[in-house]
Amino acid sequence: MGKAKRQKLHNKKHKQISPSKALQNPNGSSIQKSGAEKPKPKPHKQAQHSAPTVPFSPSENILLIGEGDLSFARSLIEHHKCTNVTATVLEPSLAVLEEKYPQAIENVRVIEEGGGKVMYGVDAGKMKAWTKGKKGKEKEGIMDRIVFNFPHVGGKSTDVNRQVRYNQELLVSFFTHAISSLRPAPKPLSTTPPSIIVTLFTNPPYTLWNIRDLARHSGLAVHTSFRFQAAAYPGYRHARTLGVVKSKKGEGEGGWKGEEREARSYVFVRKEDGELWNAAANAGKRKRGEEESDSESDSENRSGEHSEAEEPDDWDEKK
């Protein structure tokens, strides 16, 4: 074989296959090389917000303590149709209250026109009991809900430990005086017992107050707690103890807005009412469990399966 022919055969043997030919089916049709599949975009999930808890019914007797500018009381009457609201403030008169909170006078008008009451000069730690009864007989409380939103003694001290202690003393005194104003719990206990509700911010120093322990030592039991959502009370504005804070220019309100901060409401009931409520709840759970068990047995029987008590006489475990 000639040298030229051998060189030609060698080149043909080592000839590289082009990429286009490498991606062909046996029938000659080309194969499209697919690129990496792009991941499908996940649908956007909106954050789920639970419906706000509003622990009031229109017909309940509601006592509000330390109401500030009275905007919360106004919202209960105007938007939640509560008809038996008694709102109290520490300030001794409407004139003093208006000087501290200019918007209060309009709130007072709406409250009183809506059937509510406003009482001045009421100290949460020294207040009298709201009761009824004949002379010579033990008087009973008349309130279904007693509410103290954002209690605070004010700027008595800049020392955090002292501030914590002063506010703890305020709460203990409030609990002690408020218990006697709660109406007797209905029997049988089918609805939430008469309760005391306190709302606090969820950050220090408020978390240092240990409100649950203070309530327990005052003869109360923790019933529940829930996130306080100011938006559930249209028109409500957080009123600071020192009054309206003006901006640096002296116009409008300055500083932080309390209604925009995270807060929680704690619901307390008398210890004996809490025990009755828990007993009723546990009995209800047992009853539901028995009913579900009976329902499952009935379902099994209807499907052709036998309960242990109804096994046929010729049933044999070895079968």
Side-chain angles (χ1 to χ4, degrees):
M1 183 181 294
K3 184 176 180 181
K5 191 173 182 179
R6 286 197 301 271
Q7 184 66 32
K8 186 176 181 180
L9 289 173
H10 177 78
N11 293 341
K12 186 176 181 181
K13 184 177 180 180
H14 292 85
K15 189 176 181 180
Q16 293 183 353
I17 301 174
S18 65
S20 60
K21 290 184 178 180
L23 296 175
Q24 286 184 346
N25 284 322
N27 59 7
S29 61
S30 62
I31 300 175
Q32 297 292 333
K33 187 176 181 180
S34 60
E37 293 184 2
K38 295 182 180 180
K40 295 181 180 179
K42 295 182 179 180
H44 176 69
K45 292 184 178 180
Q46 294 183 348
Q48 294 183 353
H49 299 284
S50 58
T53 299
V54 178
F56 309 105
S57 297
S59 61
E60 291 179 337
N61 282 338
I62 302 169
L63 174 63
L64 305 176
I65 305 298
E67 257 299 273
D69 70 351
L70 297 162
S71 59
F72 185 80
R74 174 177 177 172
S75 185
L76 286 185
I77 291 174
E78 197 170 37
H79 297 282
H80 294 283
K81 310 305 177 185
C82 297
T83 57
N84 301 306
V85 176
T86 300
T88 71
V89 295
L90 181 61
E91 289 71 23
S93 66
L94 176 58
V96 175
L97 183 68
E98 184 184 6
E99 183 178 352
K100 197 172 182 180
Y101 309 107
Q103 68 275 25
I105 191 166
E106 177 63 16
N107 293 334
V108 170
R109 182 189 66 79
V110 174
I111 291 169
E112 292 180 341
E113 288 182 357
K117 299 177 183 178
V118 177
M119 299 185 68
Y120 304 93
V122 177
D123 188 329
K126 301 176 181 178
M127 61 184 183
K128 68 176 183 64
W130 274 262
T131 58
K132 67 177 181 179
K134 297 180 180 180
K135 290 183 178 181
K137 293 186 178 181
E138 185 177 355
K139 294 185 177 181
E140 296 180 341
I142 61 173
M143 296 298 174
D144 296 293
R145 308 284 171 249
I146 301 176
V147 186
F148 199 174
N149 286 328
F150 306 102
H152 202 283
V153 295
K156 281 191 173 183
S157 173
T158 56
D159 182 79
V160 174
N161 292 329
R162 289 184 179 179
Q163 276 280 6
V164 169
R165 186 169 69 252
Y166 290 149
N167 282 290
Q168 287 178 326
E169 291 171 354
L170 169 64
L171 283 171
V172 169
S173 185
F174 162 68
F175 287 141
T176 303
H177 285 81
I179 288 178
S180 56
S181 295
L182 290 175
R183 73 161 63 248
K187 295 180 181 179
L189 196 57
S190 57
T191 59
T192 302
S195 59
I196 296 172
I197 303 172
V198 179
T199 304
L200 298 176
F201 293 119
T202 57
N203 61 300
Y206 307 97
T207 51
L208 301 176
W209 297 2
N210 297 322
I211 187 171
R212 292 183 178 89
D213 290 337
L214 298 179
R216 291 189 186 102
H217 289 301
S218 302
L220 295 167
V222 182
H223 182 68
T224 187
S225 71
F226 55 88
R227 180 187 172 205
F228 176 83
Q229 299 186 52
Y233 305 95
Y236 165 69
R237 295 292 180 270
H238 180 82
R240 300 183 68 175
T241 307
L242 48 75
V244 173
V245 179
K246 297 291 183 180
S247 64
K248 292 181 179 180
K249 295 181 180 180
E251 300 175 355
E253 295 186 28
W256 52 266
K257 294 184 178 181
E259 60 270 17
E260 296 177 357
R261 298 175 65 182
E262 286 293 321
R264 195 160 193 84
S265 293
Y266 301 88
V267 182
F268 305 102
V269 299
R270 284 173 293 229
K271 282 186 178 179
E272 56 269 28
D273 293 345
E275 292 171 357
L276 289 174
W277 177 267
N278 291 335
N282 291 333
K285 288 179 181 178
R286 287 195 297 270
K287 184 176 181 180
R288 286 194 297 272
E290 292 172 357
E291 290 175 350
E292 289 175 0
S293 178
D294 292 342
S295 177
E296 290 174 0
S297 297
D298 291 343
S299 176
E300 289 178 354
N301 293 337
R302 287 193 297 271
S303 66
E305 297 181 9
H306 300 281
S307 65
E308 185 176 352
E310 296 176 342
E311 290 295 347
D313 294 337
D314 59 351
W315 179 78
D316 188 347
E317 187 177 1
K318 296 180 181 179
K319 287 184 180 180

